Every structure is written in structure tokens, then in C-alpha cells.
Amino acid sequence: MDGEANLVGLPQPKRVSLSESVADTIAEAIATRIILPNERIVETSLVEKLGVSRVPVREALKVLHAQGIISGGGHKGYRVAAFEPGITQQIMEVRLSLETFMLRDAIENWREGNGSPAVLQKPIDMMVASALSGSLRNSLIADLEFHRAIRHAANNPIVGTLWDTIARHVLIVFNFERFRDEDLKASARQHEQFRDWIVGEVAKPSTPFKEIQEALENHMLLIARKKTGDVSIAS
């Protein structure tokens, strides 16, 4: 038909590959300290424990190596990156920058009636359930899903794609003692408070970019400031 693109032969969207799923599992294991910083990663052990073939495990390790989550390679094998303070600082700086743009766009979309901040309730419910069961792993994943919900609501493909590339780093940093509250219930409350702030901003005609950045930084560093004093991502 005139005006319509010929879609014959259009490649079908790819589902998440097994290797990406394995990479996520390894990242979760690093985040929850099942695999420790500087610990050697044994490919054969992963194959046995995960119940998958060598190929997706090998591909997953290559992805994590390219992202800087593990180091080494070749005949020497891989080790978990140390995630020293300088690297952690860089991750937090990039995260703050990307998530400020995402939150700005999400709030604006919600103001215009494109979706609702109610999507943030599901990951908060996951945090509450995780606190009741005492599952740190599920709490960390729920935290990431809270911010992923903002990522999708922003509908900003460029910033969203960039955020996706550091999502595993963010998951790992979540569990650093400096940024984690040992009380999982407190984590849920903190996200409820941040959700309430977002809802309040959606009801306003506009929010200055600087205020969004400050609110997000306060949310990200709430625990660190309680433990170590007045710290800043940009410091």
C-alpha cells in the first residue's frame, strides 16, 4: 500500500540471550558477595553450578570483561574487579548524570498523562517483601527495578541505552557497605519517600533540572551521609 513501509524480511526482535542471562546471574553473585572482589572465576565451576553449556558462560564472561566487571582473560582466567573507590566514584557520577535526565523526562511524561508514577509501587512492594523474607539479593534487584521503571517511563532511548550498559555496575555498587542500609525495611521506606517526592513534582507545572539532580543525589547518597558525613558524588 502507498505510504506503508515494506516490512517483508524485517528481522524479528531478539529475546534476551542465555549468555546475557548468565552475565546477570554472575553480576548478582558479585553484588551479593557470593563471588568476592579479586576472586578467581572458574568457567568449569560456573558451567556445573548454573547447569548450562560452556558457550553461554564463555560469552557472558567476555561481556562482563568488556564492561570492566571482571578482569584478566586468556590462559590466566578471570577475576572479579576490585571496584576500588575511584572506580566506584566514576560509576556513581555517570549514574547520577544519566538518571537525572531519565527522571526529568519521566516526570514530564507523567505530567502529560503518559503513564503514571504508580509503576514505582511494584518494586517498592518487592522491597517490602524482600525485607520480610530477609533477602538481600531480592532487595538489591528490587532497588534496580525501581530505577529501571523510571528509565522506561523516561522514554529516552539514548540515555536509556547508556544506563543499561552500567546497570550491572549499579547493582554491584548497591551492596557496598557505604551505600547500603543493613535494615532492608529502611531501604523500602527510603524509596517510598523518594516516590512521594516524585509524585509531588508531577503535580507541579515544572521542576528545575538542578532540583531533580539534588533530589536524586540525596536519594542515592542517603546511607553514605548517615554513615560517613556530608559526602557528594561530585566530590
Side-chain angles (χ1 to χ4, degrees), residues 10 39 94 107 110 119 145 192 203:
L10 185 70
E39 184 174 335
V94 172
I107 289 174
W110 288 329
V119 296
E145 289 304 310
E192 287 175 341

Side-chain angles (χ1 to χ4, degrees), residues 32 34 54 56 60 65 110 148 163 183 188 202 206 209:
T32 53
I34 295 173
R54 283 178 174 268
H65 180 261
W110 288 329
R148 197 189 304 278
W163 184 85
D183 181 359
V202 170
S206 65
F209 186 83

Side-chain angles (χ1 to χ4, degrees), residues 98-110 114 147-157 159-160:
L98 294 176
E99 291 202 18
T100 301
F101 286 109
M102 284 165 31
L103 184 54
R104 176 200 65 183
D105 293 350
I107 289 174
E108 186 57 34
N109 286 334
W110 288 329
N114 299 319
H147 294 274
R148 197 189 304 278
I150 294 173
R151 174 252 191 271
H152 289 305
N155 196 26
N156 185 325
V159 176

Side-chain angles (χ1 to χ4, degrees), residues 20-234:
E20 286 291 324
S21 179
V22 170
D24 286 340
T25 298
I26 296 171
E28 289 174 19
I30 295 171
T32 53
R33 298 302 190 264
I34 295 173
I35 304 176
L36 300 173
N38 293 314
E39 184 174 335
R40 183 166 174 260
I41 294 189
V42 182
E43 182 180 306
T44 53
S45 178
L46 287 173
V47 168
E48 179 182 348
K49 291 180 179 179
L50 299 179
V52 297
S53 68
R54 283 178 174 268
V55 173
V57 169
R58 193 166 295 152
E59 291 177 350
L61 293 176
K62 288 180 180 179
V63 169
L64 294 173
H65 180 261
Q67 293 180 338
I69 291 173
I70 60 177
S71 60
H75 66 280
K76 295 182 179 179
Y78 294 105
R79 288 186 181 275
V80 178
F83 282 90
E84 297 175 350
I87 298 298
T88 302
Q89 180 77 8
Q90 291 173 15
I91 293 170
M92 294 296 285
E93 288 174 355
V94 172
R95 181 191 169 199
L96 176 62
S97 177
L98 294 176
E99 291 202 18
T100 301
F101 286 109
M102 284 165 31
L103 184 54
R104 176 200 65 183
D105 293 350
I107 289 174
E108 186 57 34
N109 286 334
W110 288 329
R111 278 194 188 113
E112 295 176 355
N114 299 319
S116 163
V119 296
L120 301 175
Q121 187 60 46
K122 183 177 179 179
I124 289 175
D125 289 342
M126 290 170 60
M127 288 181 215
V128 173
S130 301
L132 292 175
S133 64
S135 174
L136 173 61
R137 172 186 177 274
N138 289 344
S139 181
L140 294 174
I141 293 173
D143 194 335
L144 189 66
E145 289 304 310
F146 180 94
H147 294 274
R148 197 189 304 278
I150 294 173
R151 174 252 191 271
H152 289 305
N155 196 26
N156 185 325
I158 300 299
V159 176
T161 298
L162 292 173
W163 184 85
D164 289 343
T165 65
I166 66 163
R168 292 183 181 120
H169 298 77
V170 171
L171 180 67
I172 293 167
V173 170
F174 276 164
N175 196 31
F176 285 3
E177 182 179 0
R178 182 181 178 213
F179 302 111
R180 174 171 57 86
D181 197 317
E182 290 80 5
D183 181 359
L184 298 184
K185 292 181 180 178
S187 179
R189 289 194 297 270
Q190 290 151 13
H191 283 78
E192 287 175 341
Q193 291 167 1
F194 190 47
R195 184 271 319 276
D196 291 344
W197 179 86
I198 292 172
V199 170
E201 296 308 305
V202 170
K204 297 178 181 178
S206 65
T207 307
F209 186 83
K210 185 65 175 177
E211 287 186 16
I212 294 175
Q213 185 179 50
E214 290 175 352
L216 185 59
E217 182 172 3
N218 287 335
H219 169 71
M220 290 166 57
L221 291 181
L222 181 61
I223 302 306
R225 286 172 173 158
K226 283 182 178 179
K227 292 185 175 182
T228 61
D230 187 17
V231 296
S232 171
I233 289 177

